[in-house]
Amino acid sequence: MIRIANLDFTYRGGDFRLAIDDLVIEDGTTAAVVGPSGSGKTTWLHLLAGILVPDAGSIVVNDVEVSGLGDRRRREFRIRQIGMVFQEFELLDHLSVLDNILLPYRITPALDLEEQVRVRARDLAERVGLGDKVRRPPRRLSQGERQRVGVCRALLPDPPLLFADEPTGNLDPETSDRVLDLLFDYAGERGATLLTVTHDHSRLDRFDRVLDAGPWGRRP
Amino acid sequence: MRDVLYLAWRYLAHHRFKTGVLVASITLILFVPAALRTLVDRSERQLTARAEATPLLVGTKGSPLELVLSSLYFGQDVPERMPFGETARIRETGLAQAIPLYVRFRAGKDPIVGTTVDYFDVRGLEIADGRSMTRLGDCVLGARVAKQRGVGPGGSILSSPETVFDLAGIYPLKMRVTGVLAPSGGPDDEAVFVDVKTAWVIEGLAHGHEDLTSPDAAARILKREEGRVVGNASLVQYNEITDDNVDSFHFHGDVAEFPITAVLALPFDRKSSALLRGRYEAPDETRQILKPATVMDDLLGDILTVEKFVVAAFLLVGLATLATAALVFLLSIRLRRREIETLVKIGGSKPRVTAILLTEIVAVLLASAVLAAALTWAVSGMAGELIRTWVG
């Protein structure tokens, strides 16, 4: 469960302010976050993930008060509990498809890269149709394939939460559906909570909830 | 740690051109001063060691450096000659052992050193194969000469004529190789040693030919006058000394007046050294006596000054290169800000992300250092070659 109370956040030196009095999202919920650009959707997602720290209020995710953790613990929490998917995929050019999927296990001592993890990474690549492309560098993949690699990377640690920031923003409709299918399938099978920032209103009916970020962001 | 190394390696391998240029630049900057320093050090040690092993050197007055380079390192410049009698003059003082040196001729590029067998004892040289020279026309080869030419005892070496077109000049002499010296790591490895009399044969001061008094030689006689027999142009002169013709070789003139280039003087004690040096202090003295170590110290002092300037210049260039490399690293990190942010967003630990970036830098520096060390080690063995090139 995600519980937000009296949240207040302002970028240092900036004039944007995000404030949420009370918000609860139940476990296993699939929620789309919509709202105009600059309304604070990505900021909100980053606050939940512990990438940003609120000035006031509390954010409790799966019984952990993220806003009260130090930097090291927030990073550990994030890499164990949250799978992040990005609009620009954010794959590393110098790594192969397989190494990109395994990346979370190589950048923290909190996860152990064991053989079963490698097997699972290959299985995931196989499931998303990239089984024969695991040795390729990302530049030799299509946009849709790259995002599928990004999804595999997010899913590999088997997180109970999936945060996707406009995951279909750079994809054609058909590919968008395929990527969303992957996210929804995982959330369904795992019982994971899926929070997706999106501008694509045509697919909102797939989500359990639609959160409007419009009232969250304020400028003086 | 394995993951840090792997990710750093993947990054460097992916950007292999950039990595290669960085490694090459830093390697060069580390290598040049290090190699220069090593070569100068080794050359200095070799030059100094040989100079210090030669207590005193006597030669005709002129350039002390030329005399030292010729007598110790067998350089190509031949100092002013002096009579062989100078050797006896020193011996007769009872102050030092005297060993003549006549370093003028070459066999190809290898110097022919006319001396006595005592030279081998003085230099601590041992015959590794064969025996020492015992007869006119014999020679003993330095280890490197023997190896390069593939010649050993029983083989032969031909001395080089001084000028090809000078018909009255020095003709080649075919010398019998009787022995090969054990490697000494110095100029003796590069030389062909002969008895000083053999060197005079090369010069034409001694020669051998058919016996003009025999009945078979009648056709070779130009004229007979007051007990002398003069041969004509058909008289065969020997260009090789063999057991059969060695007795026909004879010297014309006073051997004491025959030329040598230097005398190695080994005083029996410090007092003898001082006394011997005093003998050459007279204002009208035409010879010079010098301590090779002092001459080499002066020379090395000049070399070291030049080296200091070169090293200082390279240090400045090195600092500029390292500053540029640092800028490249910083710009690279800046360009990768988005990549680093992604690692942070995913949950990468701060120490590990920092370690990956640092490992990339350290790997480049380490590869450069290892490469520079390997290159320096490779060229350090060239100190001998450097001395040979420099001495000529």
Side-chain angles (χ1 to χ4, degrees), chain B residues 217-265:
Chain B
R220 317 243 187 263
I221 295 172
L222 180 67
K223 59 181 177 181
R224 294 172 192 274
E225 52 184 28
E226 295 175 13
R228 289 177 64 213
V229 180
V230 181
N232 62 27
S234 67
L235 179 68
V236 176
Q237 289 205 27
Y238 303 122
N239 62 358
E240 180 181 6
I241 303 169
T242 64
D243 288 337
D244 293 333
N245 69 17
V246 65
D247 291 337
S248 76
F249 275 81
H250 51 278
F251 293 89
H252 291 277
D254 181 4
V255 169
E257 293 299 318
F258 283 4
I260 55 173
T261 48
V263 178
L264 292 184

Short mmCIF file of all heavy atoms in Angstrom, two decimals, chain B residues 217-265:
data_model
loop_
_atom_site.label_atom_id
_atom_site.label_comp_id
_atom_site.label_asym_id
_atom_site.label_seq_id
_atom_site.Cartn_x
_atom_site.Cartn_y
_atom_site.Cartn_z
N ALA B 217 112.71 -17.26 -57.86
CA ALA B 217 112.22 -15.88 -57.85
C ALA B 217 112.95 -14.98 -58.84
O ALA B 217 112.75 -13.77 -58.84
CB ALA B 217 112.32 -15.30 -56.44
N ALA B 218 113.79 -15.54 -59.68
CA ALA B 218 114.61 -14.72 -60.58
C ALA B 218 113.75 -13.78 -61.43
O ALA B 218 114.10 -12.62 -61.65
CB ALA B 218 115.45 -15.63 -61.47
N ALA B 219 112.62 -14.29 -61.87
CA ALA B 219 111.77 -13.48 -62.75
C ALA B 219 111.11 -12.32 -62.02
O ALA B 219 110.53 -11.44 -62.63
CB ALA B 219 110.69 -14.38 -63.37
N ARG B 220 111.14 -12.33 -60.70
CA ARG B 220 110.46 -11.29 -59.93
C ARG B 220 111.41 -10.16 -59.49
O ARG B 220 111.02 -9.26 -58.78
CB ARG B 220 109.85 -11.89 -58.64
CG ARG B 220 109.17 -13.22 -58.87
CD ARG B 220 107.69 -13.14 -58.57
NE ARG B 220 107.06 -14.42 -58.62
CZ ARG B 220 106.41 -14.89 -59.72
NH1 ARG B 220 106.33 -14.16 -60.83
NH2 ARG B 220 105.86 -16.08 -59.69
N ILE B 221 112.70 -10.27 -59.87
CA ILE B 221 113.68 -9.29 -59.40
C ILE B 221 113.78 -8.13 -60.38
O ILE B 221 113.91 -8.32 -61.60
CB ILE B 221 115.06 -9.97 -59.23
CG1 ILE B 221 114.96 -11.00 -58.11
CG2 ILE B 221 116.14 -8.93 -58.93
CD1 ILE B 221 116.18 -11.86 -57.97
N LEU B 222 113.65 -6.93 -59.81
CA LEU B 222 113.78 -5.72 -60.63
C LEU B 222 115.26 -5.33 -60.74
O LEU B 222 115.77 -5.07 -61.82
CB LEU B 222 112.96 -4.58 -59.98
CG LEU B 222 112.99 -3.24 -60.70
CD1 LEU B 222 112.27 -3.34 -62.06
CD2 LEU B 222 112.32 -2.16 -59.86
N LYS B 223 115.93 -5.27 -59.55
CA LYS B 223 117.38 -4.95 -59.58
C LYS B 223 118.02 -5.42 -58.28
O LYS B 223 117.33 -5.66 -57.27
CB LYS B 223 117.58 -3.44 -59.75
CG LYS B 223 116.95 -2.59 -58.68
CD LYS B 223 117.19 -1.12 -58.95
CE LYS B 223 116.47 -0.26 -57.90
NZ LYS B 223 116.66 1.17 -58.12
N ARG B 224 119.36 -5.54 -58.33
CA ARG B 224 120.15 -5.90 -57.16
C ARG B 224 121.12 -4.75 -56.94
O ARG B 224 121.76 -4.28 -57.88
CB ARG B 224 120.95 -7.19 -57.41
CG ARG B 224 120.10 -8.43 -57.58
CD ARG B 224 120.99 -9.60 -58.01
NE ARG B 224 120.19 -10.74 -58.46
CZ ARG B 224 119.71 -11.66 -57.63
NH1 ARG B 224 119.96 -11.60 -56.33
NH2 ARG B 224 118.99 -12.67 -58.11
N GLU B 225 121.22 -4.27 -55.71
CA GLU B 225 122.15 -3.17 -55.44
C GLU B 225 122.68 -3.28 -54.02
O GLU B 225 121.91 -3.39 -53.07
CB GLU B 225 121.49 -1.82 -55.66
CG GLU B 225 120.17 -1.64 -54.92
CD GLU B 225 119.49 -0.33 -55.22
OE1 GLU B 225 119.69 0.20 -56.32
OE2 GLU B 225 118.76 0.16 -54.32
N GLU B 226 123.96 -3.26 -53.85
CA GLU B 226 124.66 -3.23 -52.56
C GLU B 226 124.00 -4.11 -51.52
O GLU B 226 123.55 -3.66 -50.48
CB GLU B 226 124.76 -1.80 -52.04
CG GLU B 226 125.61 -0.92 -52.92
CD GLU B 226 125.60 0.53 -52.47
OE1 GLU B 226 125.12 0.81 -51.35
OE2 GLU B 226 126.05 1.37 -53.22
N GLY B 227 123.83 -5.34 -51.83
CA GLY B 227 123.28 -6.29 -50.85
C GLY B 227 121.77 -6.26 -50.75
O GLY B 227 121.17 -7.02 -49.99
N ARG B 228 121.09 -5.36 -51.51
CA ARG B 228 119.63 -5.32 -51.49
C ARG B 228 119.08 -5.90 -52.79
O ARG B 228 119.68 -5.74 -53.86
CB ARG B 228 119.15 -3.86 -51.37
CG ARG B 228 119.42 -3.26 -50.00
CD ARG B 228 118.98 -1.81 -50.00
NE ARG B 228 117.54 -1.70 -50.20
CZ ARG B 228 116.95 -0.70 -50.85
NH1 ARG B 228 117.67 0.27 -51.40
NH2 ARG B 228 115.64 -0.65 -50.97
N VAL B 229 117.96 -6.56 -52.66
CA VAL B 229 117.30 -7.09 -53.84
C VAL B 229 115.93 -6.42 -53.93
O VAL B 229 115.17 -6.43 -52.95
CB VAL B 229 117.11 -8.63 -53.73
CG1 VAL B 229 116.42 -9.15 -54.98
CG2 VAL B 229 118.44 -9.31 -53.50
N VAL B 230 115.65 -5.79 -55.08
CA VAL B 230 114.37 -5.09 -55.23
C VAL B 230 113.46 -5.89 -56.17
O VAL B 230 113.89 -6.23 -57.29
CB VAL B 230 114.57 -3.66 -55.78
CG1 VAL B 230 113.23 -2.94 -55.91
CG2 VAL B 230 115.53 -2.90 -54.87
N GLY B 231 112.27 -6.22 -55.70
CA GLY B 231 111.35 -7.00 -56.51
C GLY B 231 110.61 -6.14 -57.52
O GLY B 231 110.48 -4.93 -57.34
N ASN B 232 110.12 -6.77 -58.56
CA ASN B 232 109.33 -6.00 -59.54
C ASN B 232 107.84 -6.16 -59.21
O ASN B 232 107.46 -6.78 -58.21
CB ASN B 232 109.66 -6.44 -60.97
CG ASN B 232 109.32 -7.90 -61.22
OD1 ASN B 232 108.43 -8.45 -60.56
ND2 ASN B 232 110.02 -8.54 -62.14
N ALA B 233 107.00 -5.65 -60.12
CA ALA B 233 105.55 -5.60 -59.84
C ALA B 233 104.91 -6.98 -59.79
O ALA B 233 103.81 -7.14 -59.24
CB ALA B 233 104.85 -4.75 -60.89
N SER B 234 105.62 -7.99 -60.34
CA SER B 234 105.02 -9.33 -60.34
C SER B 234 105.24 -10.07 -59.02
O SER B 234 104.73 -11.16 -58.82
CB SER B 234 105.61 -10.17 -61.49
OG SER B 234 106.98 -10.42 -61.23
N LEU B 235 106.01 -9.44 -58.12
CA LEU B 235 106.28 -10.08 -56.83
C LEU B 235 104.97 -10.22 -56.02
O LEU B 235 104.24 -9.26 -55.85
CB LEU B 235 107.28 -9.23 -56.03
CG LEU B 235 107.65 -9.75 -54.64
CD1 LEU B 235 108.46 -11.04 -54.76
CD2 LEU B 235 108.43 -8.71 -53.87
N VAL B 236 104.72 -11.42 -55.60
CA VAL B 236 103.48 -11.68 -54.86
C VAL B 236 103.66 -11.34 -53.39
O VAL B 236 104.53 -11.89 -52.72
CB VAL B 236 103.04 -13.15 -55.01
CG1 VAL B 236 101.80 -13.43 -54.16
CG2 VAL B 236 102.80 -13.49 -56.47
N GLN B 237 102.83 -10.39 -52.91
CA GLN B 237 102.84 -10.10 -51.47
C GLN B 237 101.66 -10.84 -50.85
O GLN B 237 100.60 -10.93 -51.45
CB GLN B 237 102.66 -8.59 -51.24
CG GLN B 237 103.91 -7.82 -51.64
CD GLN B 237 104.03 -6.50 -50.90
OE1 GLN B 237 103.50 -6.36 -49.79
NE2 GLN B 237 104.71 -5.56 -51.49
N TYR B 238 101.87 -11.31 -49.65
CA TYR B 238 100.82 -12.11 -49.02
C TYR B 238 99.80 -11.21 -48.33
O TYR B 238 100.16 -10.25 -47.66
CB TYR B 238 101.43 -13.06 -47.99
CG TYR B 238 102.49 -13.98 -48.58
CD1 TYR B 238 103.78 -14.00 -48.09
CD2 TYR B 238 102.18 -14.84 -49.64
CE1 TYR B 238 104.75 -14.84 -48.63
CE2 TYR B 238 103.14 -15.67 -50.19
CZ TYR B 238 104.42 -15.66 -49.68
OH TYR B 238 105.37 -16.47 -50.21
N ASN B 239 98.52 -11.54 -48.54
CA ASN B 239 97.47 -10.81 -47.81
C ASN B 239 96.84 -11.70 -46.75
O ASN B 239 95.78 -11.42 -46.23
CB ASN B 239 96.40 -10.25 -48.76
CG ASN B 239 95.68 -11.36 -49.50
OD1 ASN B 239 96.01 -12.54 -49.33
ND2 ASN B 239 94.70 -11.00 -50.31
N GLU B 240 97.50 -12.81 -46.47
CA GLU B 240 97.07 -13.69 -45.39
C GLU B 240 98.32 -14.29 -44.77
O GLU B 240 99.25 -14.68 -45.49
CB GLU B 240 96.16 -14.80 -45.95
CG GLU B 240 95.68 -15.75 -44.86
CD GLU B 240 94.80 -16.88 -45.42
OE1 GLU B 240 94.67 -16.97 -46.66
OE2 GLU B 240 94.28 -17.66 -44.61
N ILE B 241 98.33 -14.34 -43.47
CA ILE B 241 99.49 -14.90 -42.80
C ILE B 241 99.17 -16.34 -42.44
O ILE B 241 98.16 -16.61 -41.77
CB ILE B 241 99.84 -14.09 -41.54
CG1 ILE B 241 100.08 -12.62 -41.93
CG2 ILE B 241 101.05 -14.67 -40.83
CD1 ILE B 241 100.17 -11.68 -40.75
N THR B 242 99.98 -17.24 -42.92
CA THR B 242 99.77 -18.67 -42.65
C THR B 242 101.02 -19.23 -41.97
O THR B 242 102.06 -18.56 -41.91
CB THR B 242 99.51 -19.44 -43.96
OG1 THR B 242 100.71 -19.36 -44.76
CG2 THR B 242 98.32 -18.88 -44.72
N ASP B 243 100.91 -20.46 -41.51
CA ASP B 243 102.08 -21.09 -40.89
C ASP B 243 103.21 -21.20 -41.90
O ASP B 243 104.39 -21.14 -41.55
CB ASP B 243 101.70 -22.49 -40.36
CG ASP B 243 100.81 -22.37 -39.13
OD1 ASP B 243 100.84 -21.31 -38.46
OD2 ASP B 243 100.05 -23.32 -38.85
N ASP B 244 102.84 -21.33 -43.18
CA ASP B 244 103.86 -21.49 -44.21
C ASP B 244 104.58 -20.19 -44.53
O ASP B 244 105.77 -20.20 -44.84
CB ASP B 244 103.21 -22.03 -45.51
CG ASP B 244 102.68 -23.44 -45.30
OD1 ASP B 244 103.24 -24.15 -44.42
OD2 ASP B 244 101.71 -23.83 -45.98
N ASN B 245 103.85 -19.07 -44.49
CA ASN B 245 104.51 -17.83 -44.93
C ASN B 245 104.84 -16.88 -43.78
O ASN B 245 105.37 -15.80 -44.03
CB ASN B 245 103.65 -17.12 -45.99
CG ASN B 245 102.37 -16.54 -45.40
OD1 ASN B 245 102.25 -16.38 -44.19
ND2 ASN B 245 101.42 -16.23 -46.27
N VAL B 246 104.52 -17.28 -42.56
CA VAL B 246 104.72 -16.34 -41.44
C VAL B 246 106.18 -15.91 -41.30
O VAL B 246 106.48 -14.77 -40.95
CB VAL B 246 104.18 -16.95 -40.11
CG1 VAL B 246 104.98 -18.17 -39.68
CG2 VAL B 246 104.17 -15.89 -39.01
N ASP B 247 107.09 -16.81 -41.65
CA ASP B 247 108.51 -16.48 -41.49
C ASP B 247 108.98 -15.44 -42.51
O ASP B 247 110.02 -14.81 -42.33
CB ASP B 247 109.36 -17.75 -41.63
CG ASP B 247 109.12 -18.68 -40.43
OD1 ASP B 247 108.70 -18.15 -39.37
OD2 ASP B 247 109.32 -19.90 -40.55
N SER B 248 108.20 -15.30 -43.59
CA SER B 248 108.61 -14.31 -44.60
C SER B 248 108.20 -12.89 -44.21
O SER B 248 108.58 -11.93 -44.86
CB SER B 248 107.99 -14.67 -45.95
OG SER B 248 106.62 -14.32 -45.96
N PHE B 249 107.39 -12.77 -43.16
CA PHE B 249 106.95 -11.43 -42.74
C PHE B 249 108.05 -10.73 -41.95
O PHE B 249 108.67 -11.32 -41.07
CB PHE B 249 105.66 -11.53 -41.92
CG PHE B 249 104.43 -11.58 -42.78
CD1 PHE B 249 104.04 -12.76 -43.38
CD2 PHE B 249 103.71 -10.42 -43.05
CE1 PHE B 249 102.92 -12.81 -44.20
CE2 PHE B 249 102.59 -10.47 -43.87
CZ PHE B 249 102.19 -11.66 -44.45
N HIS B 250 108.27 -9.50 -42.28
CA HIS B 250 109.36 -8.75 -41.63
C HIS B 250 108.97 -7.27 -41.59
O HIS B 250 108.17 -6.80 -42.40
CB HIS B 250 110.65 -8.96 -42.39
CG HIS B 250 110.49 -8.69 -43.86
ND1 HIS B 250 109.97 -9.64 -44.74
CD2 HIS B 250 110.72 -7.58 -44.60
CE1 HIS B 250 109.92 -9.12 -45.96
NE2 HIS B 250 110.36 -7.88 -45.90
N PHE B 251 109.57 -6.59 -40.65
CA PHE B 251 109.28 -5.17 -40.46
C PHE B 251 110.37 -4.33 -41.10
O PHE B 251 111.55 -4.69 -41.05
CB PHE B 251 109.19 -4.83 -38.97
CG PHE B 251 108.00 -5.47 -38.31
CD1 PHE B 251 108.09 -6.74 -37.76
CD2 PHE B 251 106.79 -4.79 -38.25
CE1 PHE B 251 106.99 -7.33 -37.17
CE2 PHE B 251 105.69 -5.38 -37.65
CZ PHE B 251 105.79 -6.65 -37.10
N HIS B 252 109.96 -3.25 -41.66
CA HIS B 252 110.93 -2.29 -42.20
C HIS B 252 110.94 -1.10 -41.26
O HIS B 252 109.91 -0.51 -41.00
CB HIS B 252 110.50 -1.83 -43.59
CG HIS B 252 110.61 -2.91 -44.62
ND1 HIS B 252 111.79 -3.23 -45.26
CD2 HIS B 252 109.70 -3.80 -45.11
CE1 HIS B 252 111.59 -4.23 -46.10
NE2 HIS B 252 110.31 -4.61 -46.02
N GLY B 253 112.11 -0.77 -40.72
CA GLY B 253 112.21 0.39 -39.86
C GLY B 253 112.31 0.00 -38.40
O GLY B 253 112.35 -1.19 -38.05
N ASP B 254 112.31 1.01 -37.54
CA ASP B 254 112.48 0.83 -36.10
C ASP B 254 111.10 0.63 -35.46
O ASP B 254 110.24 1.52 -35.51
CB ASP B 254 113.16 2.07 -35.53
CG ASP B 254 113.38 1.94 -34.03
OD1 ASP B 254 113.08 0.86 -33.47
OD2 ASP B 254 113.84 2.94 -33.43
N VAL B 255 110.91 -0.54 -34.88
CA VAL B 255 109.61 -0.86 -34.26
C VAL B 255 109.21 0.18 -33.21
O VAL B 255 108.04 0.53 -33.07
CB VAL B 255 109.65 -2.28 -33.64
CG1 VAL B 255 108.42 -2.53 -32.77
CG2 VAL B 255 109.74 -3.33 -34.73
N ALA B 256 110.20 0.72 -32.51
CA ALA B 256 109.89 1.72 -31.46
C ALA B 256 109.24 2.96 -32.05
O ALA B 256 108.56 3.70 -31.34
CB ALA B 256 111.16 2.09 -30.72
N GLU B 257 109.44 3.16 -33.34
CA GLU B 257 108.84 4.34 -33.99
C GLU B 257 107.49 4.02 -34.63
O GLU B 257 106.84 4.90 -35.19
CB GLU B 257 109.79 4.90 -35.06
CG GLU B 257 111.06 5.50 -34.50
CD GLU B 257 110.76 6.67 -33.57
OE1 GLU B 257 109.87 7.48 -33.88
OE2 GLU B 257 111.38 6.74 -32.48
N PHE B 258 107.10 2.77 -34.59
CA PHE B 258 105.82 2.39 -35.19
C PHE B 258 104.66 3.01 -34.41
O PHE B 258 104.77 3.23 -33.20
CB PHE B 258 105.68 0.87 -35.22
CG PHE B 258 106.50 0.23 -36.32
CD1 PHE B 258 107.35 0.98 -37.13
CD2 PHE B 258 106.42 -1.14 -36.55
CE1 PHE B 258 108.10 0.38 -38.13
CE2 PHE B 258 107.16 -1.75 -37.55
CZ PHE B 258 108.01 -0.98 -38.35
N PRO B 259 103.55 3.25 -35.08
CA PRO B 259 102.49 4.04 -34.42
C PRO B 259 101.57 3.22 -33.50
O PRO B 259 101.31 2.04 -33.76
CB PRO B 259 101.67 4.56 -35.60
CG PRO B 259 101.84 3.51 -36.65
CD PRO B 259 103.23 2.95 -36.48
N ILE B 260 101.16 3.87 -32.48
CA ILE B 260 100.05 3.39 -31.64
C ILE B 260 99.20 4.62 -31.32
O ILE B 260 99.64 5.75 -31.57
CB ILE B 260 100.53 2.71 -30.33
CG1 ILE B 260 101.44 3.65 -29.54
CG2 ILE B 260 101.19 1.38 -30.62
CD1 ILE B 260 101.81 3.11 -28.15
N THR B 261 98.01 4.40 -30.80
CA THR B 261 97.15 5.56 -30.49
C THR B 261 97.15 5.90 -29.00
O THR B 261 96.86 7.03 -28.63
CB THR B 261 95.71 5.30 -30.94
OG1 THR B 261 95.31 4.00 -30.48
CG2 THR B 261 95.57 5.38 -32.44
N ALA B 262 97.45 4.92 -28.15
CA ALA B 262 97.42 5.20 -26.71
C ALA B 262 98.14 4.10 -25.95
O ALA B 262 98.43 3.03 -26.50
CB ALA B 262 95.98 5.29 -26.21
N VAL B 263 98.44 4.40 -24.69
CA VAL B 263 98.98 3.38 -23.79
C VAL B 263 98.09 3.38 -22.54
O VAL B 263 97.84 4.44 -21.96
CB VAL B 263 100.43 3.69 -23.38
CG1 VAL B 263 100.94 2.63 -22.40
CG2 VAL B 263 101.34 3.74 -24.60
N LEU B 264 97.60 2.18 -22.21
CA LEU B 264 96.90 2.06 -20.93
C LEU B 264 97.96 1.93 -19.86
O LEU B 264 98.78 1.01 -19.92
CB LEU B 264 96.02 0.80 -20.90
CG LEU B 264 94.82 0.69 -21.79
CD1 LEU B 264 94.07 -0.61 -21.49
CD2 LEU B 264 93.90 1.86 -21.55
N ALA B 265 97.95 2.83 -18.90
CA ALA B 265 98.95 2.77 -17.83
C ALA B 265 98.27 2.37 -16.53
O ALA B 265 97.31 3.01 -16.12
CB ALA B 265 99.62 4.13 -17.69
#
